[in-house]
Amino acid sequence: DAGVIQSPRHEVTEMGQEVTLRCKPISGHDYLFWYRQTMMRGLELLIYFNNNVPIDDSGMPEDRFSAKMPNASFSTLKIQPSEPRDSAVYFCASSPRGLHYGYTFGSGTRLTVV
Amino acid sequence: QQPVQSPQAVILREGEDAVINCSSSKALYSVHWYRQKHGEAPIFLMILLKGGEQKGHDKISASFNEKKQQSSLYLTASQLSYSGTYFCGTASFTDKLIFGTGTRLQVFP
């Protein structure tokens, strides 16, 4: 299996622009998680899906952030408009059966908003 | 609600042992352990479920004391490849996984 695939690996954008991050989970994994990692706040859960349905989005920082999972093999995290404080590494992870199984993380997207 | 890890950093020589602790104020159902190397994604090490079991993989093992809501990760006879930042993640039965602040481990020859 190719693992969890994220794109792009790096993204540099100007403040105010829309940013879309993409994730392909491992086939057969029913749960998908979006995490953000910064030095100050560590690894924060933004949102997670079960069978393509958003279950908990309480970690989404503001209305500028939105996430979708239109099918079992694809998810997006969108930031519109982007701000410098959104600069972070964004990880997507998937799990075969939920919160109490090991997560497989993608390589992450390093986002820089200037 | 974020679990507390200790120590924040550990420096070892090859062959030495280390213990990393993780404690939570919430009633836990599971504790996860991950290792992350600089510039890479976190890698899953092991998970412990409510029941106080101890798990092991090669020279890395962990325990879970559900009464104290604590878990410990034991690294025995450390190798250079053990270097990285170790995160615990804790979850109640129905709630999301929350990661600790991490423990940076450096192993020198």
Side-chain angles (χ1 to χ4, degrees), chain A residues 31 33 35 45 48 56 95 97-103, chain B residues 1-4 22-34 44 46-51 64-66 69-71 87-100:
Chain A
Y31 284 74
F33 308 86
Y35 280 88
L45 177 66
Y48 78 91
D56 187 334
S95 169
R97 282 190 293 277
L99 303 175
H100 307 296
Y101 290 83
Y103 297 4
Chain B
Q1 291 186 349
Q2 184 177 36
V4 177
C22 174
S23 63
S24 173
S25 58
K26 294 175 60 176
L28 301 177
Y29 183 80
S30 67
V31 179
H32 299 219
W33 286 97
Y34 292 78
F44 172 70
M46 64 187 75
I47 184 171
L48 301 101
L49 301 179
K50 183 178 179 180
F64 177 22
N65 185 327
E66 64 182 271
Q69 307 305 323
Q70 292 176 349
S71 178
F87 293 96
C88 70
T90 58
S92 61
F93 186 71
T94 56
D95 205 1
K96 58 194 175 187
L97 187 70
I98 299 175
F99 282 97

Side-chain angles (χ1 to χ4, degrees), chain B residues 43-58:
Chain B
I43 301 296
F44 172 70
L45 296 175
M46 64 187 75
I47 184 171
L48 301 101
L49 301 179
K50 183 178 179 180
E53 64 179 293
Q54 182 154 352
K55 277 196 171 180
H57 176 68
D58 196 10

Side-chain angles (χ1 to χ4, degrees), chain A residues 1-11 19-26 32-37 43-44 46 73-79 88-94 103-111, chain B residues 36 39-42:
Chain A
D1 201 320
V4 176
I5 299 173
Q6 290 187 246
S7 64
R9 288 296 306 274
H10 302 274
E11 177 80 37
V19 176
T20 299
L21 312 180
R22 297 172 176 80
C23 174
K24 176 180 169 55
I26 292 174
L32 183 140
F33 308 86
W34 282 101
Y35 280 88
R36 177 173 68 175
Q37 187 174 36
L43 271 165
E44 301 175 276
L46 300 177
S73 58
F74 184 65
S75 177
T76 60
L77 178 67
K78 185 177 294 185
I79 308 172
V89 180
Y90 290 81
F91 287 105
C92 173
S94 68
Y103 297 4
T104 301
F105 282 79
S107 299
T109 295
R110 180 174 294 277
L111 174 66
Chain B
Q36 184 180 30
E40 299 181 7

Side-chain angles (χ1 to χ4, degrees), chain B residues 51-92:
Chain B
E53 64 179 293
Q54 182 154 352
K55 277 196 171 180
H57 176 68
D58 196 10
K59 294 175 182 175
I60 300 176
S61 62
S63 63
F64 177 22
N65 185 327
E66 64 182 271
K67 287 186 178 179
K68 293 185 177 181
Q69 307 305 323
Q70 292 176 349
S71 178
S72 295
L73 184 71
Y74 307 93
L75 299 111
T76 306
S78 59
Q79 306 168 15
L80 295 176
S81 61
Y82 286 5
S83 293
T85 300
Y86 289 78
F87 293 96
C88 70
T90 58
S92 61

